Amino acid sequence: MRRLGPSDIEALATGAWILGTGGGGSPYHALLELRRLLAQGAEIRVLDPAALADDDLVAVVSIQGAPLVIQERLVDSRLIARAVRVMEEHLGRRFRAVMPVEIGGMNGLQPLLAAAHLGIPAVDADAMGRAFPEAQMTTFAVGALSPAPLSTVDPRGNEAVVTRVADWPWMERLSRRICTEFGSIAATCKAPRTGAEVKRWAIAGTTSRAIALGRAVHAARAAHADPIAAVLAAERGRRLFAGKIVEVERRTTTGFLRGRAEVEGLGEDRGARLALAFQNEWTLAARDGEPCAMTPELICVLDSDSGEAIGTETVRYGQRVTVIVLPAAEIFLTERGLAHVGPRAFGHDLDFRSAFAA
Amino acid sequence: MRRIGIDVGGTNTDAVLIEAGRLLRSVKAPTTEDVTGGIVAALQRLAPGPGVDAVMIGTTHFVNAVVQRRHLARVGGLRIGAPATVSLPAFTDWPEDLRAAVDGGFWAVAGGHDYDGRAFLPLDRAAVEAAGLEMRARGLRAVAVTALFSPLTGEHEREAAEILGRILPDAAITCSHEVGGIGLLERENGALLNAALVPLAAATVRRFEAAIAALGIAAPLYLTQNDGTVTDARRAARFPVFSFACGPTNSMRGAAWLSGLRDAVVVDVGGTTADFGHLRGGFPREANAVVQVGGVRTLFRMPDLVSIGLGGGSLVDAATGEVGPRSVGYRLTSEALVFGGETLTATDVAVAAGLVALGDAARVRDLPPDLPERVMARIRARIEEHVDRVKTAAGDVTLIAVGGGAFLVPDRLAGVARVLRVPHGDCANAVGAAIAQVSGEVDQIYQGLSREQAIAAARRLAEARAEAAGAAPGTLSLVEAEDMPVAYLPGNAMRVRVKVVGDIAAA
């Protein structure tokens, strides 16, 4: 068990935003709330998944919602804690710990807040190792674990439990519908997982990984060193391309932000172009028409000077960016994994090829 | 139409006189601590004569008050949206010194709306009243009211302001929907800053009016705003935050008017910094992201500018050829080599390179012979890089160079088709103030209409607002129309934002 302090949460916010690979929502509000809780003396504890007993129960939590609504309603972490209580009431059992469904973006921080309110630790693991847009894009779905039950709450006292669904896409449909009625934002506690399931299927150590990543960036900035080199070293990533954004195209379709961006090479990439596609997160990078990185590997677009991650919602013409790729969790590289989160799951008619293949 | 435009800058107060689309005169006077003294001196030099129709002043006095944490009132923050949103109270993430000066307490009550315009919860009027009584007990004279989704419907903010107004009849009450859009914390920050500045703004506007009247100018006073338009003095005193970025905006609008161009990149080179911006349709392109003011995150619609530490007073390192960001600033005329000083500045290098004739050129004759070329190459590279950063598309642009240090801009630049210099370019911001128009804006949700019908309805409303603000009906034109579909709503709902501008109607 590890207790997080002020510098850990600052690093976590930076690291989680990078692991969001362009999506996942900005961790800014969650960071403000974490600072407040810490200042008030709250304990934020992180638990190694190996320390879970097989029959321990873990609450997998997240905030679901439209970015526009989150900007107004903000997010109250006590609601996530309430969603966990609702699930406990439904199951008639208590949870040993909470766990993020995705480490990328704001949902990488929210569970820590909920855990502090509940007085239990957060498991140092998640089910994506990054951010993905849909419920079936998790290691738990790849492992064919049960998608139900799910509890979801709003701040007015409305609470719902989805007790059974036919499959993961049905859970996505039903929970989205409830979320819309709640005002397009909801705190959810997803299908509970046993300690055994977490140890078998979750991606271990991702909170620590995000903290280490953020620390590397902060240290490089403080030393006036190259923060991108620090990211690559911390994550064993690869630099793909450096240049300037020269084109951005966005469209909102069926609840997702889709589009593309073009980077014109600078420095050693001068004369070349990199095309990026996104669906909430970056999904594909192609150098002069040749795919060079693709989902589920993490394509990250970083500000060339600060190393700060640039989101698909805010990327714009003229930004100087460095595009890098970080390795994906092994489980997503299996045939079953690629069926859930490979390039075809995002409409790219391509066989997966690793950016790290020799 | 005979108009006076005034720009109150950090160093100089510039004034210009414009009549029937022609610039008659431009003058400069040193800015004074009280601001008014500089204005009076400039107006005396300008000697506008009788028949002035309007005086338009651009001032950064209010944003400076925030930056310097001076003359700020203590503000009570009322949030309408409980039990949601309260995990992050008002003044969260403010710099400690600013918070200490402005934070008068935080009250959260139930109410507000959802994204679809339905009430989130009914407004808790009794709680608003209780908050008002506590504010009165604390002696607060300024309040900011912020409700959940108030940009879609300001109903609960208005209702709460009315209740508070009865309890605190002398208080300055700012409703957040009047100062910002979606983004609760940032909009609330804007409302808090505005409320903190209202007492200063009211006093400043009164002093401006007194100064003008004392000089026998019987014309209405307008203040320029972030978007390049003006508002009458009374409204300006209620919304000082809208003048925060008027300086650079005026200079870009002035550059457009002086050059006759409506689409171009503008660089305003002063003594310490160079500001780069993009003109589109005669107005600066606005930033669409969070803007920090005095360390506080806000969502004000401000021109999208890139500022770098490069100006006529920038220090030059003779060994490395490095320029700026440190500058001698307003001491240029005493410290630069050509003016008899001992400091090597960008102006000295420009004189040595033969780009401008200023001061005593003999004093820079002994500089290392390759220095001017090396320094100018560096300046060129930085200007090229930043012109490119503010471009919105690939391709060469026209660059309008204004400001007292415009001579530092080379005639040939990569990515630039031509560099344009204009007469009176050193007073571009006073010109921008003098030519400013009146605007009317609408930002609301329409349902059950086609896109064209919704925009037309919004446009009619915007035109009515512009006329109410003093615009001449025949002169109104559409400068912005934007529609965004709102998801999950029946009846083809869309959020429409429209802005029209027109000339000030003759008195």
Side-chain angles (χ1 to χ4, degrees):
Chain A
M1 192 98 71
R2 175 174 167 205
R3 230 182 119 169
L4 300 190
S7 75
D8 294 310
I9 60 164
E10 301 293 325
L12 177 61
T14 300
W17 189 215
I18 292 173
L19 295 176
T21 73
S26 159
Y28 173 66
H29 289 152
L31 174 61
L32 294 183
E33 215 186 326
L34 273 172
R35 283 184 194 156
R36 275 175 58 80
L37 277 187
L38 273 186
Q40 289 162 6
E43 270 193 34
I44 296 168
R45 291 173 299 154
V46 175
L47 180 71
D48 186 332
L52 289 168
D54 281 356
D55 60 352
D56 275 344
L57 214 50
V58 175
V60 182
V61 301
S62 82
I63 291 288
Q64 249 186 336
L68 178 98
V69 176
I70 292 173
Q71 283 178 50
E72 276 294 313
R73 282 250 204 120
L74 314 180
V75 171
D76 191 335
S77 54
R78 288 171 304 184
L79 284 183
I80 309 176
R82 178 62 205 153
V84 173
R85 289 284 183 236
V86 169
M87 183 62 82
E88 287 180 336
E89 288 160 18
H90 173 72
L91 298 173
R93 279 188 66 187
R94 303 305 288 258
F95 284 106
R96 166 81 178 85
V98 298
M99 177 186 138
V101 68
E102 60 182 342
I103 187 66
M106 66 168 192
N107 276 323
L109 280 71
Q110 296 290 355
L112 298 183
L113 289 155
H117 293 303
L118 293 163
I120 53 179
V123 180
D124 188 358
D126 79 322
M128 294 185 180
R130 47 170 290 167
F132 276 127
E134 293 182 72
Q136 71 276 14
M137 296 176 167
T138 62
T139 53
F140 298 142
V142 173
L145 304 185
S146 162
L150 169 139
S151 68
T152 176
V153 306
D154 95 342
R156 287 164 287 205
N158 297 305
E159 304 177 345
V161 178
V162 179
T163 53
R164 236 187 117 186
V165 288
D167 55 22
W168 282 96
W170 266 106
M171 178 56 87
E172 172 73 24
R173 276 173 74 173
L174 293 178
S175 62
R176 231 171 223 264
R177 190 63 204 226
I178 299 170
C179 175
T180 304
E181 285 307 309
F182 280 175
S184 274
I185 179 170
T188 63
C189 177
K190 296 166 193 303
R193 303 273 81 114
T194 62
E197 284 173 331
V198 169
K199 284 184 279 187
R200 169 70 181 85
W201 292 104
I203 306 167
T206 44
T207 300
S208 298
R209 174 180 160 199
I211 293 172
L213 180 55
R215 271 199 198 293
V217 172
H218 293 175
R221 278 189 206 150
H224 300 289
D226 178 6
I228 290 163
V231 171
L232 295 175
E235 285 284 316
R236 295 190 306 282
R238 254 196 68 199
R239 188 187 297 260
L240 283 180
F241 201 80
K244 163 186 143 172
I245 302 283
V246 290
E247 237 181 280
V248 180
E249 224 182 83
R250 283 189 193 89
R251 53 192 193 282
T252 312
T253 46
T254 58
F256 296 110
L257 183 70
R258 290 191 171 90
R260 47 185 289 281
E262 293 257 340
V263 195
E264 194 179 87
L266 289 172
E268 54 192 72
D269 292 310
R270 193 172 287 278
R273 266 170 105 94
L274 189 82
L276 292 160
F278 57 86
Q279 175 179 334
N280 292 13
E281 289 80 29
W282 306 107
T283 56
L284 179 68
R287 186 187 176 112
D288 293 332
E290 194 58 42
C292 58
M294 61 190 77
T295 171
E297 288 178 342
L298 287 66
I299 300 167
C300 306
V301 178
L302 308 178
D303 181 291
S304 287
D305 298 324
S306 68
E308 192 76 23
I310 294 174
T312 56
E313 278 193 351
T314 51
V315 63
R316 57 189 296 195
Y317 179 93
Q319 281 172 326
R320 262 57 176 178
V321 302
T322 299
V323 183
I324 64 170
V325 56
L326 310 180
E330 292 284 329
I331 182 173
F332 287 137
L333 303 182
T334 62
E335 198 176 321
R336 283 183 56 90
L338 289 173
H340 284 259
V341 295
R344 287 201 167 82
F346 294 88
H348 303 299
D349 191 19
L350 283 172
D351 290 325
F352 173 74
R353 243 187 51 215
S354 172
F356 299 93
Chain B
M1 275 299 252
R2 200 172 163 87
R3 294 175 174 194
I4 296 170
I6 299 173
D7 173 75
V8 185
T11 313
N12 284 316
T13 296
D14 299 344
V16 300
L17 181 63
I18 283 184
E19 187 174 43
R22 279 194 319 127
L23 194 160
L24 299 183
R25 271 195 294 290
S26 69
V27 300
K28 284 178 185 289
T31 295
T32 52
E33 170 70 27
D34 67 347
V35 179
T36 324
I39 292 176
V40 169
L43 283 174
Q44 280 165 341
R45 282 182 205 177
L46 193 66
V52 173
D53 295 293
V55 178
M56 353 277 267
I57 298 183
T59 176
T60 47
H61 199 45
F62 308 137
V63 72
N64 290 345
V66 174
V67 172
Q68 297 164 5
R69 283 82 163 115
R70 292 168 63 192
H71 312 301
L72 300 171
R74 200 164 284 286
V75 182
L78 178 73
R79 176 92 62 80
I80 305 171
T85 80
V86 294
S87 55
L88 295 175
F91 303 103
T92 297
D93 207 22
W94 279 42
E96 193 43 43
D97 56 346
L98 186 59
R99 196 193 61 70
V102 178
D103 185 355
F106 174 63
W107 289 265
V109 304
H113 287 82
D114 265 334
Y115 66 90
D116 55 5
R118 287 182 297 189
F120 172 71
L121 283 173
L123 178 66
D124 187 344
R125 299 174 58 96
V128 175
E129 206 169 312
L133 291 171
E134 284 179 39
M135 291 178 191
R136 189 168 70 188
R138 289 196 197 178
L140 291 176
R141 305 287 298 273
V143 184
V145 182
T146 308
L148 195 51
F149 275 113
S150 68
L152 301 188
T153 161
E155 193 186 318
H156 284 180
E157 287 186 358
R158 280 192 294 270
E159 231 178 294
E162 208 185 290
I163 297 170
L164 293 175
R166 282 198 295 269
I167 302 168
L168 302 154
D170 301 323
I173 300 174
T174 301
C175 288
S176 80
H177 74 274
E178 297 201 81
V179 299
I182 300 288
L184 184 116
L185 282 188
E186 291 79 12
R187 181 174 73 253
E188 180 177 69
N189 286 344
L192 292 165
L193 286 177
N194 192 74
L197 285 166
V198 165
L200 171 68
T204 305
V205 167
R206 273 199 305 276
R207 288 212 309 271
F208 286 173
E209 284 176 327
I212 293 165
L215 292 169
I217 301 171
L221 170 69
Y222 295 86
L223 261 66
T224 66
Q225 308 187 86
N226 300 336
D227 68 353
T229 64
V230 286
T231 188
D232 63 80
R234 258 189 56 207
R235 192 179 147 80
R238 283 183 55 217
F239 295 106
V241 290
F242 289 146
S243 77
F244 274 0
C246 68
T249 301
N250 287 342
S251 119
M252 290 184 64
R253 296 265 303 143
W257 190 82
L258 290 166
S259 66
L261 294 180
R262 296 174 63 77
D263 294 279
V265 171
V266 177
V267 58
D268 182 356
V269 190
T272 305
T273 59
D275 295 332
F276 297 80
H278 198 142
L279 272 176
R280 227 169 29 184
F283 283 86
R285 193 169 70 103
E286 288 175 330
N288 54 4
V290 165
V291 185
Q292 299 253 356
V293 178
V296 176
R297 286 163 60 98
T298 69
L299 285 171
F300 295 125
R301 288 167 58 78
M302 294 197 179
D304 196 6
L305 295 178
V306 182
S307 274
I308 60 171
L310 172 67
S314 293
L315 304 189
V316 174
D317 184 327
T320 62
E322 203 69 69
V323 191
R326 288 178 51 222
S327 163
V328 294
Y330 67 90
R331 299 183 312 272
L332 177 69
T333 50
S334 58
E335 295 198 1
L337 296 181
V338 291
F339 295 118
E342 297 299 326
T343 311
L344 179 61
T345 66
T347 296
D348 298 310
V349 170
V351 170
L355 294 172
V356 65
L358 276 174
D360 181 3
R363 289 185 45 88
V364 290
R365 206 163 284 153
D366 298 333
L367 289 179
D370 65 325
L371 184 72
E373 202 179 313
R374 274 196 294 137
V375 173
M376 288 312 298
R378 216 171 260 268
I379 290 175
R380 168 200 304 276
R382 290 182 67 196
I383 291 176
E384 283 173 348
E385 183 192 339
H386 289 90
V387 165
D388 193 58
R389 276 186 189 236
V390 299
K391 275 188 200 177
T392 48
D396 289 358
V397 292
T398 299
L399 176 69
I400 311 173
V402 298
F407 55 80
L408 289 176
V409 181
D411 279 320
R412 285 174 195 283
L413 292 161
V416 172
R418 64 178 173 140
V419 175
L420 203 64
R421 298 166 207 279
V422 288
H424 303 287
D426 60 337
C427 290
N429 34 23
V431 172
I435 60 158
Q437 295 172 299
V438 177
S439 71
E441 263 183 282
V442 167
D443 182 356
Q444 67 184 53
I445 302 275
Y446 288 89
Q447 267 171 285
L449 297 179
S450 74
R451 183 178 169 273
E452 288 71 26
Q453 288 169 328
I455 291 179
R459 183 174 177 168
R460 279 192 299 276
L461 185 55
E463 287 175 347
R465 287 182 182 172
E467 286 170 29
T475 65
L476 291 167
S477 67
L478 187 72
V479 289
E480 209 177 285
E482 200 176 74
D483 65 294
M484 284 162 283
V486 182
Y488 311 108
L489 261 187
N492 191 25
M494 69 194 95
R495 177 178 176 187
V496 179
R497 195 157 82 183
V498 165
K499 180 161 146 184
V500 301
V501 297
D503 293 332
I504 295 175

